[in-house]
Amino acid sequence: MPSTPQIRAQHVSRRTVLKAGATLLLSVTAPLRANAAQILAVRVWPAEDYTRVTLENDTDLKATHFIVKDPERMVVDIEGLELNPTLKSLVAKIQSNDPYIKQVRVGQNRPNVVRLVFDLKEEVTPQVFTLPPAGNYKHRLIFDLYPVRQVDPIAAMIEKGDWSDPAPAPSATPKEQLAELKPDLKAEPREELKNELKTAEAQTKAADKVDKNGKLVRMITIALDPGHGGEDPGASGKNGSREKDIVLAIAKRLKAKLEDLPNMRVMLTRDGDYFVPLGTRVEKARKVQADLFVSIHADAFVQPTARGSSVFVLSEKGASSSAARWLADKENLADTIGGVNVKSHDKQLASVLFDLSTTAQINDSMKLGRSVLGEIGGINRLHKGSVEQAGFAVLKAPDIPSILIETAFISNPEEEAKLLDDGYQNKLADAIVTGIRRYFAKNPPLAKNRLT
């Protein structure tokens, strides 16, 4: 019978136990460190409206924040995170001209917790929230720093404006302005605009009398809306151009040209590279009591052969074509890509504005759209020869004629080159100005309840 093996009792020292425990602890904690969240990118978008700081990471992060007074600071603790070079690079991304952030300090507060301390230039109202993956982005942790004292939009528009003397100039009566427009008729692709111009001449005779009697001509306010911005780059071209940059450049040219005209002033929904939610764009236009809303974009399609300019207005009953519906759906994703704080965002705003939109507003928008499209057709091929309609969220101001201009296809290399050309941008801005002037010559703005 085989003998039973003897089990020898060995004395286990305290040091051996500690070594074994340390090895076990490392084997347990090592995977946790390996699975810690990784910061993939950091971005800062300073603007007068608000400053946004974005941390893009490979998983959802949990963060807590609080404000410290005297001096003003915002402290953020982020759990499940280890300090890495990407996160450290945030320090160098704070610009000296940032309206709200003086500097930021980054450090490992305790294991698995990174602390950010934002030294502030003034008191702010912070919003801290996370965004799920969208577009080309992974998970995002967002810090939006809003001023406690919100800037009055009309005051800001007046401060940034460079418009002409609002008093009616004897050399620029409405009839004479119409006369200046007549040579441009050669650029119009449709005969109907010529007939409308004849009607407009008769409508301006009474206005001439009003001007000569010395009555005040009120300012006309136009809201220009450069699409996308900040986290939302919009479409991109083969050569790396970005829609958000091109449309902002065009909007600034257009603003300068409009403000050279008597009685015109312009509000830009964004004047820099930062994100503005679709509903906020509409709110801004309404706060300054805009007479028109013009949203500027550069189209893109999966096939690089697509080309041409388009003008769109709102539709209450559905899109005028499948292409218009597809484009509206794509543009309406801007809030998802750009990043809206759903907890503070008014989810009912878009639906309420849509319900309030009237047939009269859409009819006026169609008139404006036809006028502008006719002028653009003189400098670029039209994707479609008529104004199209779809459910664009940014066009849902119930009391402002609103159009969305797709200036060209940035996805078409030939048209991308045009969009990047200063000369073409100037021609495009001139065409839009002429279209707007035609619209107002035929549809004088009504008196408002206050002069602003």
Side-chain angles (χ1 to χ4, degrees), residues 218-293:
R218 78 165 178 85
M219 297 293 288
I220 293 174
T221 304
I222 299 174
L224 295 182
D225 175 48
H228 309 282
E231 290 282 289
D232 176 20
S236 58
K238 183 179 179 181
N239 294 317
S241 60
R242 301 180 299 184
E243 179 181 6
K244 67 175 183 178
D245 301 325
I246 289 173
V247 298
L248 179 60
I250 293 172
K252 287 182 175 180
R253 290 179 190 272
L254 182 54
K255 178 179 186 291
K257 291 177 183 294
L258 285 169
E259 291 185 339
D260 277 342
L261 301 176
N263 315 315
M264 291 271 191
R265 63 184 178 189
V266 174
M267 184 274 294
L268 292 174
T269 58
R270 70 175 181 95
D271 57 6
D273 188 11
Y274 57 97
F275 172 69
V276 181
L278 298 174
T280 303
R281 295 168 189 261
V282 177
E283 288 177 6
K284 284 187 169 190
R286 299 191 77 206
K287 284 180 179 178
V288 299
Q289 299 183 26
D291 295 286
L292 295 182
F293 181 92

Side-chain angles (χ1 to χ4, degrees), residues 143-353:
F143 313 114
D144 285 349
L145 307 183
Y146 290 88
V148 170
R149 294 172 292 279
Q150 294 286 338
V151 178
D152 178 78
I154 294 179
M157 180 177 61
I158 292 173
E159 182 182 348
K160 296 178 182 179
D162 188 24
W163 51 80
S164 304
D165 187 351
S171 60
T173 64
K175 187 173 182 178
E176 290 167 340
Q177 290 179 33
L178 279 171
E180 294 175 9
L181 295 174
K182 286 182 179 179
D184 296 331
L185 286 172
K186 295 178 181 179
E188 293 175 357
R190 292 182 303 281
E191 190 69 17
E192 64 183 29
L193 289 178
K194 298 180 182 179
N195 296 328
E196 290 181 2
L197 184 61
K198 293 178 182 178
T199 305
E201 288 178 335
Q203 292 176 338
T204 56
K205 289 181 180 178
D208 283 347
K209 293 179 182 177
V210 171
D211 288 344
K212 289 173 183 176
N213 289 336
K215 290 187 178 180
L216 177 65
V217 177
R218 78 165 178 85
M219 297 293 288
I220 293 174
T221 304
I222 299 174
L224 295 182
D225 175 48
H228 309 282
E231 290 282 289
D232 176 20
S236 58
K238 183 179 179 181
N239 294 317
S241 60
R242 301 180 299 184
E243 179 181 6
K244 67 175 183 178
D245 301 325
I246 289 173
V247 298
L248 179 60
I250 293 172
K252 287 182 175 180
R253 290 179 190 272
L254 182 54
K255 178 179 186 291
K257 291 177 183 294
L258 285 169
E259 291 185 339
D260 277 342
L261 301 176
N263 315 315
M264 291 271 191
R265 63 184 178 189
V266 174
M267 184 274 294
L268 292 174
T269 58
R270 70 175 181 95
D271 57 6
D273 188 11
Y274 57 97
F275 172 69
V276 181
L278 298 174
T280 303
R281 295 168 189 261
V282 177
E283 288 177 6
K284 284 187 169 190
R286 299 191 77 206
K287 284 180 179 178
V288 299
Q289 299 183 26
D291 295 286
L292 295 182
F293 181 92
V294 180
S295 192
I296 304 171
H297 292 256
D299 210 347
F301 195 62
V302 290
Q303 297 176 345
T305 54
R307 61 183 302 162
S309 304
S310 305
V311 175
F312 295 84
V313 302
L314 183 65
S315 172
E316 289 182 301
K317 299 179 180 179
S320 56
S321 68
S322 57
R325 183 185 305 109
W326 176 83
L327 181 62
D329 291 342
K330 183 167 71 74
E331 296 293 3
N332 290 345
L333 285 174
D335 281 357
T336 303
I337 305 297
V340 169
N341 184 3
V342 294
K343 292 182 179 179
S344 65
H345 189 60
D346 187 354
K347 297 179 183 179
Q348 295 182 339
L349 174 65
S351 62
V352 168
L353 290 177

